[in-house]
């Protein structure tokens, strides 16, 4: 079976990738759990069911975020979807000037794993996306194809 955009080297002109969960997600879950339990122990017993409900909802949100975060590589730009957050404006491939493959990204908004890709665009503004796709190698290949003028910096463990 042929795809809609069979002439495109990657199979389709629009590719979507899911996020990879890493220690950031699990550390967040533990911190939320400790805070809610500590708060529940200090408040009167009447409030406990409400706090338990809040705890469950927060834990579900934190656990589901990596499963629901998606990175879409369209014809002209990259967009990131994170559930229940403001939509990040798409980054045009033409404006991407640097792509960094890192395994030590501690401060990425969309990077749900330390093993992430930083995509810098709009030179001089500090604008960048930080993504942590499951299929990192394929995403880097796609970025190299669609951003031929960008500088690519690979981590020491990268096989690209």
């Amino acid at each position: 079976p042929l795809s809609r955009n069979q002439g495109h080297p990657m199979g389709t002109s629009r590719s979507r990738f899911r996020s990879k969960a890493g220690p950031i997600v699990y550390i967040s879950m533990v911190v939320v759990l400790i805070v809610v339990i500590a708060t529940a122990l200090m408040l009167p017993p009447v409030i406990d069911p409400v706090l338990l409900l809040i705890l469950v909802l927060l834990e579900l949100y934190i656990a589901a975020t990596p499963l629901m975060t998606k990175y879409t590589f369209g014809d002209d730009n990259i967009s990131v979807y994170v559930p229940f957050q403001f939509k990040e404006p798409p980054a045009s491939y033409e404006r991407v000037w640097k792509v960094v493959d890192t395994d030590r990204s501690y401060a990425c908004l969309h990077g749900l794993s330390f093993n992430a890709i930083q995509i810098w665009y709009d030179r001089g503004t500090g604008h960048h996306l930080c993504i942590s796709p499951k299929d990192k190698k394929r995403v880097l290949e796609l970025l190299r194809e669609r951003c031929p003028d960008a500088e690519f910096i690979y981590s020491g463990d990268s096989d690209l």
Side-chain angles (χ1 to χ4, degrees), residues 63-83:
T65 297
L67 302 174
M68 296 175 7
T69 299
K70 294 179 182 77
Y71 314 114
T72 303
F73 294 81
D75 290 331
D76 302 320
N77 57 45
I78 307 160
S79 59
V80 177
Y81 170 77
V82 180

Side-chain angles (χ1 to χ4, degrees), residues 15-115:
S15 301
R16 181 170 282 172
F17 295 87
R18 289 194 176 273
S19 180
K20 176 173 80 173
I24 295 172
V25 173
Y26 304 115
I27 291 169
S28 301
M29 290 176 70
V30 170
V31 168
V32 168
L33 181 65
I34 290 169
V35 168
V36 171
I37 288 174
T39 305
L41 292 174
M42 290 186 267
L43 296 175
V46 175
I47 299 177
D48 287 347
V50 173
L51 287 178
L52 182 61
L53 177 63
I54 291 170
L55 171 66
V56 168
L57 292 175
L58 283 172
E59 293 288 328
L60 286 173
Y61 171 74
I62 293 170
T65 297
L67 302 174
M68 296 175 7
T69 299
K70 294 179 182 77
Y71 314 114
T72 303
F73 294 81
D75 290 331
D76 302 320
N77 57 45
I78 307 160
S79 59
V80 177
Y81 170 77
V82 180
F84 309 113
Q85 292 186 13
F86 290 110
K87 187 174 180 178
E88 193 75 28
S92 170
Y93 297 124
E94 294 174 353
R95 298 186 336 233
V96 172
W97 63 276
K98 181 168 73 170
V99 176
V100 180
D101 168 18
T102 179
D103 57 357
R104 291 186 168 80
S105 183
Y106 298 104
C108 288
L109 175 64
H110 302 299
L112 300 171
S113 170
F114 294 128
N115 193 1

Side-chain angles (χ1 to χ4, degrees), residues 122-142:
D122 289 344
R123 187 182 291 271
T125 62
H127 293 161
H128 74 284
L129 296 173
C130 190
I131 63 173
S132 53
K134 280 186 179 180
D135 193 350
K136 188 175 178 182
K137 184 176 180 179
R138 184 163 168 236
V139 168
L140 285 167
E141 289 171 358
L142 190 136

